[in-house]
């Protein structure tokens, strides 16, 4: 009986339930959270308690989030495939 919220993951709108984590929301809509930056394949979380680096994602503004411990919020926009580093010049 929790209300639904929508967020964007890599530009795609997904629906989650209030109280879900970002990790839960992403995995309900796909097989993996992100690709490893070290080239060893898809990642889907490891420790699930915010102690490792396996579930890092970023907001479109560049803020890094732990998907396993960040609750979804309506309108949240995250990216999983590349770090949106600010461009100079």
């Amino acid at each position: 009986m929790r209300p639904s919220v929508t967020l964007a993951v890599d530009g795609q709108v997904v629906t989650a339930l209030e109280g879900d984590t970002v990790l839960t929301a992403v995995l309900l809509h796909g097989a993996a959270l992100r690709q490893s930056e070290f080239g060893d394949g898809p990642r889907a979380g490891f420790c699930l308690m915010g102690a490792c680096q396996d579930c890092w994602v970023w907001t479109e503004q560049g803020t890094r989030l732990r998907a396993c411990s960040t609750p979804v919020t309506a309108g949240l926009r995250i990216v999983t495939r590349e770090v949106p580093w600010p461009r100079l010049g």
Side-chain angles (χ1 to χ4, degrees), residues 12-71:
Q12 299 294 107
V13 176
V14 300
T15 302
L17 296 177
E18 189 176 87
D20 285 351
T21 64
V22 170
L23 180 63
T24 300
V26 173
L27 292 179
L28 284 172
H29 293 88
L33 175 67
R34 65 183 184 91
Q35 292 293 316
S36 171
E37 65 271 27
F38 302 110
D40 56 354
R43 310 306 294 173
F46 180 71
C47 75
L48 305 178
M49 62 181 193
C52 73
Q53 294 78 40
D54 203 55
C55 69
W56 287 121
V57 294
W58 298 264
T59 66
E60 287 182 346
Q61 294 77 30
T63 302
R64 190 167 63 170
L65 303 173
R66 289 188 189 271
C68 73
S69 59
T70 301

